[in-house]
Amino acid sequence: MLVSEPASPKRENTISNPESSPKHSESGTSDESSGTLRHRLLGPSIQKSGQDGVNQAAVSEIIYQASQGSKYFEHQKRKEKELTKKVESIVKQAAKVSNQELEAAEVRVDALIRQYEATRDLTQTIVHVDCDAFYASVEELDHPELKSKPFAVGKGVLCTCNYVARKFGVRSAMAEFVAKKICPELIVLRLNFPKYIEKSNAIRMILSEYDPRHCAMTLDEAYLNITEYCANMNKDREEVVSEMRRRIFETTGLTVSAGIGPNSRVAKIASNVNKPNGQCAIANDREAVMEFMCNLPVRKITGIGYVLERQLLALDVNSCGEIYRKSALLYQIFTDTTMTFLLNCYLGLGSTEVKPIDQYERKSVGCERSFRAISDMAQMKQKLQHVAEDLEKDCKRLNLAGRKLGLKLKKATFEQISRQRPMPRPINTASDFYRYGLQMLEKELPITVRLIGLRITDLVNLSHEGPMKTFLKGQRRHNDRLEDEPSTSMNIHAEFKELFDGSPDMHDDEEIGELVMIIQGSQEEDASGVIDDYRSSAKATAARDIKNEYELQHNTATPLMPVPESESLPLSTDSGDSATALVSCPICGNQVSADDQALNHHVDWCLSRGAIREAVKETFN
DNA sequence: ATACATACC
DNA sequence: TACTGGTATGTAT
């Protein structure tokens, strides 16, 4: 049996077999791909916990039969065929690599490994907390009678399902009608986000006691750094985490699983090991981490999905440890970024910094909607208009505008098209979204679509910019890129009016916060060392430039203010007793500080990250 | 830089 | 009887 490949694993001999490796005879692209097609159709959550005694073959067959002949099915079939081709070409490419090349690659890889190894930080204790079947569990609290029945939450596509349903082979991300074929008595509940948000907040409240700067990724998942807490309380980390989980259960009735390790990557993977309602700790010890990673199937790693897994399997890399055995070969085949990623996985390295989600800079905001396939222009215009309006709402709420607009179309065949173009000025109104979106759409006619989406990038934060600054930014942009539309001062005046009509001005320090985020972001990358140097330095330069620009325009070189709440006073109770008045958040109803900034902060959080939108927006077709 | 693909929840 | 939506990021050209 394969006992560990412990401390000093052997790399596979460079004289590796061009001939003997292909164990899957992928050669018959036509027929043989039906096996992998079934695999593809099974979807992403196949290797997740919860369905032990499931007859996968039977389930797979039902899914196959249920979807056969549909447009979706045909699309998946095409994609699978393409992937199979790509995998075959990779295998061929691998066979051509000479021993000389492999030896050279070995040297390079070893240098990389030493470089990454030097960044290893074992001083922090990171926890990944993951609620078990979150939406379903929340629903069970309200409907205890459901506990014994198979049920799911979602609409059209299942978001999650309880463990009873999983026994049938029902999984998240599965189409509702397929799930009903597998489990005819399946009950499907609609999403009820306000409820989930409330529970999520209750959990986060507890998490905050252990790490006030925890990072809530979604409603049901968060990272914590409990290093300080453990030190302060002089408690063992596993004890701390099980206490935390117990408290979450006692106050919310929900069970969570947790992973504990020296960094986010290890913690995240570990949180799945003893799911549901369990925890798994990996010691902050190099050997322990390496051993944990070694036998891990590559698909368990966040960031390795179906496609990369297929490619790795074809190169005979099944487990993380085999990344090392085959590293010289992988180096010849994958890009630098992917190689860096894979080696960091093999080494069990990852980020040790945890910071609140709202300290990440948003890069884009978009809106898309599916509907029954249409080709009529009037109907498409109507859909586009809806999307444009919804996007405007998000822009107004977030106080953002975009310098680029992207149009996304999904054809009736599920084939996707995306077009992007720079805007003459930052835009954030439905009428602009519609106008420019329509121009892009018209170029694709005739077309039959089942989805239309709009997304803006190159964002401009309008929150606290005075009108003058917006004016300047518009100008600068025009000068930069030899405008595609002449910018008259009339134009800019018109835009200015549009942007600021009826929108509040106030707060003037959030932009500084924004700058801090940018700068911190780049520092983080520098420190972690796993991100390519050129990228972080470019980003740092950009951040400096922005900062300088800011100082220039405001005629002040004030030290950057610390970012809101958590960082400035995590536990301090001294100052501002007067500011502790509480009000109910209009969104989630929780008590939050009435302090203007804190409230705004909270509301923004509450509304953002996509969760509430699904509750608020009805998607009528 | 743009288009398209992959991945995550 | 009808296979999501939002965001980030990687790859290819």
Side-chain angles (χ1 to χ4, degrees):
Chain A
M1 54 194 309
L2 295 172
V3 193
S4 62
E5 277 182 275
S8 59
K10 280 288 189 322
R11 185 187 258 128
E12 179 158 300
N13 194 348
T14 50
I15 301 141
S16 82
N17 39 12
E19 306 292 336
S20 67
S21 47
K23 38 176 232 174
H24 322 289
S25 59
E26 309 263 15
S27 31
T29 315
S30 41
D31 276 25
E32 196 50 46
S33 61
S34 97
T36 58
L37 177 56
R38 280 163 200 260
H39 188 13
R40 170 185 285 264
L41 290 168
L42 269 177
S45 49
I46 180 165
Q47 41 89 51
K48 300 292 182 199
S49 67
Q51 68 268 27
D52 324 310
V54 180
N55 183 347
Q56 294 293 358
V59 169
S60 168
E61 182 59 23
I62 295 173
I63 295 176
Y64 192 91
Q65 296 302 334
S67 12
Q68 202 169 20
S70 69
K71 295 264 169 55
Y72 176 80
F73 180 89
E74 294 304 320
H75 182 246
Q76 294 302 322
K77 207 163 131 187
R78 280 194 300 275
K79 286 184 66 168
E80 185 56 31
K81 205 166 172 177
E82 240 170 86
L83 177 59
T84 300
K85 220 166 75 187
K86 166 123 202 235
V87 166
E88 282 170 4
S89 102
I90 282 177
V91 170
K92 275 190 197 126
Q93 197 186 332
K96 277 195 202 128
V97 176
S98 71
N99 287 343
Q100 227 174 17
E101 288 169 313
L102 284 177
E103 278 164 28
E106 262 188 29
V107 177
R108 310 287 295 273
V109 167
D110 285 339
L112 288 176
I113 288 178
R114 277 195 301 276
Q115 184 190 326
Y116 303 144
E117 184 60 52
T119 70
R120 191 186 293 275
D121 176 1
L122 294 169
T123 65
Q124 305 298 302
T125 298
I126 309 298
V127 180
H128 181 253
V129 172
D130 199 346
C131 300
D132 304 320
F134 183 58
Y135 299 163
S137 302
V138 175
E139 295 297 345
E140 281 182 1
L141 294 175
D142 284 357
H143 312 285
E145 74 279 5
L146 286 177
K147 277 186 192 173
S148 55
K149 300 176 185 166
F151 83 99
V153 182
K155 183 187 174 189
V157 173
L158 308 183
C159 290
T160 190
C161 58
N162 67 355
Y163 280 78
V164 179
R166 291 181 196 199
K167 290 229 170 87
F168 289 83
V170 175
R171 281 179 293 270
S172 65
M174 187 175 270
E176 191 176 334
F177 80 94
V178 173
K180 286 225 166 108
K181 291 230 160 102
I182 290 170
C183 175
E185 64 266 52
L186 183 73
I187 298 164
V188 180
L189 303 181
R190 292 298 156 83
L191 293 153
N192 188 345
F193 273 99
K195 229 158 58 176
Y196 311 147
I197 289 172
E198 187 192 328
K199 285 295 177 186
S200 180
N201 284 335
I203 291 172
R204 289 172 187 188
M205 207 91 77
I206 295 170
L207 298 184
S208 291
E209 293 177 34
Y210 295 85
D211 179 6
R213 280 172 51 75
H214 71 267
C215 181
M217 303 300 292
T218 59
L219 291 181
D220 71 333
E221 212 181 303
Y223 289 95
L224 292 83
N225 185 334
I226 58 166
T227 315
E228 211 179 311
Y229 184 91
C230 290
N232 289 343
M233 308 298 274
N234 192 27
K235 279 187 182 160
D236 172 67
R237 53 192 205 149
E238 292 186 60
E239 186 189 333
V240 165
V241 171
S242 65
E243 173 201 287
M244 178 171 76
R245 291 176 45 240
R246 199 189 64 243
R247 286 196 50 208
I248 290 172
F249 180 72
E250 282 167 0
T251 72
T252 67
L254 298 167
T255 64
V256 305
S257 299
I260 308 165
N263 62 59
S264 329
R265 195 194 312 277
V266 171
K268 162 92 172 155
I269 297 166
S271 70
N272 253 311
V273 171
N274 288 320
K275 189 169 252 297
N277 197 15
Q279 66 187 59
C280 168
I282 309 303
N284 280 24
D285 168 86
R286 182 174 177 277
E287 302 307 310
V289 171
M290 296 282 286
E291 196 189 325
F292 175 64
M293 297 305 290
C294 190
N295 292 315
L296 205 65
V298 291
R299 189 63 167 85
K300 298 267 186 192
I301 294 165
T302 316
I304 299 184
Y306 179 75
V307 171
L308 186 51
E309 182 198 30
R310 278 284 305 274
Q311 300 179 359
L312 290 169
L313 291 183
L315 297 170
D316 206 27
V317 175
N318 300 268
S319 69
C320 218
E322 287 167 331
I323 290 172
Y324 179 77
R325 286 185 41 226
K326 294 280 185 175
S327 55
L329 180 60
L330 299 181
Y331 184 85
Q332 295 297 126
I333 287 175
F334 292 111
T335 63
D336 289 358
T337 351
T338 303
M339 202 54 209
T340 297
F341 167 69
L342 291 174
L343 289 175
N344 274 279
C345 290
Y346 158 70
L347 293 166
L349 297 172
S351 167
T352 54
E353 193 197 318
V354 176
K355 64 180 179 185
I357 190 78
D358 51 26
Q359 288 186 28
Y360 289 87
E361 186 191 8
R362 177 188 282 274
K363 304 255 186 359
S364 74
V365 45
C367 183
E368 66 186 55
R369 182 159 306 167
S370 297
F371 36 79
R372 225 178 45 229
I374 54 174
S375 46
D376 174 61
M377 194 50 187
Q379 285 181 291
M380 288 194 288
K381 280 179 171 173
Q382 195 190 333
K383 300 297 185 191
L384 184 64
Q385 178 68 33
H386 277 164
V387 171
E389 280 165 16
D390 284 347
L391 183 55
E392 179 190 82
K393 281 181 205 141
D394 285 350
C395 287
K396 293 275 142 98
R397 177 165 55 70
L398 298 166
N399 247 301
L400 294 168
R403 290 195 169 98
K404 276 186 188 156
L405 179 67
L407 172 74
K408 172 171 155 182
L409 303 172
K410 195 184 280 181
K411 301 211 247 179
T413 57
F414 283 86
E415 201 181 345
Q416 290 195 29
I417 292 177
S418 64
R419 299 286 178 256
Q420 193 190 16
R421 55 169 271 203
M423 295 291 104
R425 57 193 159 74
I427 61 169
N428 72 344
T429 62
S431 75
D432 278 336
F433 296 146
Y434 179 77
R435 171 172 40 242
Y436 295 112
L438 185 58
Q439 288 176 11
M440 290 186 272
L441 173 59
E442 279 169 341
K443 290 186 180 158
E444 307 303 323
L445 298 176
I447 192 171
T448 305
V449 294
R450 67 180 335 276
L451 174 148
I452 293 179
L454 289 170
R455 176 166 299 273
I456 52 169
T457 52
D458 279 27
L459 300 182
V460 176
N461 189 334
L462 304 170
S463 293
H464 316 302
E465 291 186 351
M468 197 53 193
K469 194 166 176 193
T470 303
F471 176 86
L472 289 173
K473 280 204 172 170
Q475 282 297 76
R476 185 166 56 73
R477 219 49 205 179
H478 276 293
N479 297 337
D480 277 357
R481 31 180 73 226
L482 302 181
E483 65 250 74
D484 31 7
E485 274 185 26
S487 74
T488 65
S489 48
M490 282 306 283
N491 264 348
I492 292 181
H493 261 37
E495 184 221 344
F496 163 76
K497 251 190 154 171
E498 242 174 337
L499 291 189
F500 289 90
D501 257 0
S503 81
D505 31 13
M506 53 183 180
H507 336 267
D508 35 10
D509 43 40
E510 198 164 314
E511 182 171 13
I512 301 180
E514 192 82 24
L515 289 172
V516 172
M517 286 191 285
I518 295 166
I519 291 160
Q520 284 183 342
S522 61
Q523 280 173 346
E524 177 201 4
E525 288 181 0
D526 284 337
S528 77
V530 291
I531 310 245
D532 302 338
D533 292 336
Y534 74 90
R535 268 194 56 203
S536 43
S537 64
K539 208 170 171 187
T541 308
R544 263 197 309 280
D545 289 347
I546 294 168
K547 180 173 176 290
N548 290 340
E549 185 190 332
Y550 177 87
E551 288 169 354
L552 208 66
Q553 293 193 2
H554 290 252
N555 206 11
T556 167
T558 6
L560 300 179
M561 281 184 54
V563 198
E565 307 144 55
S566 44
E567 197 162 45
S568 48
L569 29 144
L571 295 172
S572 77
T573 50
D574 52 338
S575 70
D577 281 22
S578 52
T580 48
L582 295 178
V583 296
S584 300
C585 166
I587 313 303
C588 67
N590 276 357
Q591 296 290 296
V592 296
S593 163
D595 167 52
D596 236 1
Q597 189 183 337
L599 177 61
N600 268 309
H601 207 245
H602 171 86
V603 169
D604 203 54
W605 168 81
C606 228
L607 283 169
S608 66
R609 297 293 156 189
I612 190 82
R613 76 165 51 247
E614 295 178 53
V616 175
K617 283 182 189 171
E618 278 300 83
T619 51
F620 295 119
N621 296 338

